[in-house]
Amino acid sequence: MTGPIELFSREHPAFVHVPLGLVVCLPFMIAAAYRSRYPQTWRRMALRVALVALGGGLLTMASGLYWGRLLNLIPAGRLLPVVSSQGQALQRTLRSHEVNALAGAVLGILCVLLLRRACREPGDARWTGACLLGTVLWAGTWGYVGKQGGVMVFGDAETNKAAAEAINAKKNDAEAELPLRALDYASLEPLQAAPFRSRAHGGREARSWVTASGSDALAAGRPLPVGAYAVLTTWTLGLPGPLHMREAKADGTQAFALYWPRVPEGERAAFGGEDSVYWRSPHPALEACAGCHAAGKARP
Ligand code: HEC
């Protein structure tokens, strides 16, 4: 169900134009007071417009905060996004966007107070001058906030580059979501004639499968040659257990993977409490694998 608050929040990029448009008018209205035959009318109108702009701006800021939480950019119960790395261009821009919006609101309050003073002391041109300066700063600050909002909605050179890099990294990593080669173990050569009980891997029934390039080496007790990989499938009473993979990389290191899409309740404690795991090197939980399977060494 989409409630009115949610609807209002999702339309944040549209509503921002209302307070911003009003604030942009203010310096012109105050400047008109200098030339008009009715300067006090212009000042009073400017005060009213400033009040509406400030109120609208505060509502818009609330809608932005709500929207940021709806999009999971701002954690629930917090006012600012968490920026945990420099690569998070969107979160960084959002944080600055919020801080600047707040600075603009403070300037807005100041301008309202100045305008009230200018209305009360029409004879003193200095108050009107201060209003002119204040509203220019207010419009400039919120204008910049709007520009940052545009960057977040449409992207700029930096954010679009970061997004393209993330997509490319995923494209070049065919196994980002599933261990495709390990799941295709039936295309590899079985290392044993029959399943065996593997005490090293949780006492489950197991069987190893190796690429043709690695089967002779493993059978002869030599380390896996570069590019070769082995898979260890496991079962408990016919139910699939974790799928293991070990690969010899070109740089002389080994990569490990462990995939168990349905961890039974009783086993979760040993798998970080997860109900589904897909771990890949350098995941810290796989350090134990390297403890037994040292790089460049024969099979344990
Ligand atoms: C306690 C030592 C030990 C640990 C820890 C261990 N392994 Fe093994 N692994 C072995 C032994 C021994 C074998 C040979 C088959 C057997 O006895 O289970 C083996 C076989 C394998 C194989 C198939 C054959 C081969 O040589 O590659 C794979 C793949 C594998 N392990 C992956 C893993 C992964 C992934 C982990 C970490 C999640 C891991 N292992 C943790 C000892 C271990």
Side-chain angles (χ1 to χ4, degrees):
M1 267 291 284
T2 321
I5 297 184
E6 186 175 336
L7 195 74
F8 179 63
S9 301
R10 287 195 192 282
E11 294 308 324
H12 174 81
F15 289 128
V16 288
H17 295 94
V18 177
L20 187 57
L22 292 175
V23 174
V24 169
C25 293
L26 288 174
F28 295 100
M29 298 177 75
I30 296 165
Y34 282 104
R35 314 227 16 135
S36 163
R37 273 203 284 156
Y38 309 103
Q40 189 65 349
T41 310
W42 280 109
R43 279 191 286 262
R44 287 215 182 104
M45 267 168 41
L47 174 59
R48 283 181 194 129
V49 169
L51 279 169
V52 175
L54 185 62
L58 293 176
L59 271 180
T60 305
M61 284 165 66
S63 78
L65 180 65
Y66 197 85
W67 195 37
R69 287 183 182 166
L70 275 183
L71 297 177
N72 284 323
L73 282 170
I74 304 173
R78 292 191 58 133
L79 294 179
L80 292 173
V82 181
V83 184
S84 48
S85 83
Q86 273 311 93
Q88 293 181 307
L90 184 62
Q91 280 86 344
R92 263 190 298 137
T93 313
L94 178 57
R95 193 173 56 177
S96 158
H97 175 79
E98 289 190 59
V99 171
N100 292 335
L102 193 67
V106 171
L107 278 172
I109 294 171
L110 198 75
C111 287
V112 166
L113 295 176
L114 283 172
L115 275 163
R116 268 181 53 186
R117 195 67 192 251
C119 289
R120 284 194 190 144
E121 293 184 40
D124 192 343
R126 281 179 306 178
W127 289 117
T128 310
C131 290
L132 188 59
L133 183 72
T135 49
V136 167
L137 287 177
W138 183 11
T141 309
W142 272 4
Y144 183 70
V145 173
K147 182 184 135 78
Q148 288 182 313
V151 166
M152 287 188 287
V153 173
F154 302 111
D156 65 354
E158 192 199 0
T159 52
N160 289 346
K161 196 171 145 227
E165 271 167 12
I167 290 170
N168 269 340
K170 214 163 179 190
K171 242 192 232 159
N172 291 332
D173 183 359
E175 297 185 310
E177 267 142 37
L178 284 176
L180 298 179
R181 290 172 301 164
L183 284 169
D184 194 25
Y185 63 86
S187 67
L188 306 179
E189 292 182 13
L191 204 64
Q192 303 87 11
F196 60 99
R197 193 161 297 280
S198 170
R199 297 187 26 179
H201 307 90
R204 295 186 174 83
E205 226 185 318
R207 198 160 183 184
S208 319
W209 314 80
V210 196
T211 50
S213 59
S215 63
D216 286 349
L218 280 196
R222 290 195 310 271
L224 275 181
V226 165
Y229 59 87
V231 176
L232 183 93
T233 47
T234 63
W235 307 265
T236 309
L237 298 175
L239 278 179
L243 189 69
H244 303 72
M245 182 166 167
R246 178 167 81 95
E247 182 179 8
K249 308 289 269 186
D251 61 5
T253 61
Q254 286 190 104
F256 297 97
L258 189 135
Y259 177 68
W260 200 4
R262 272 171 72 102
V263 184
E265 203 144 355
E267 306 252 17
R268 286 182 197 160
F271 290 85
E274 306 282 345
D275 55 4
S276 170
V277 292
Y278 177 27
W279 292 333
R280 302 167 72 190
S281 298
H283 193 288
L286 299 180
E287 270 159 27
C289 317
C292 280
H293 295 273
K297 294 261 173 62
R299 193 154 56 97

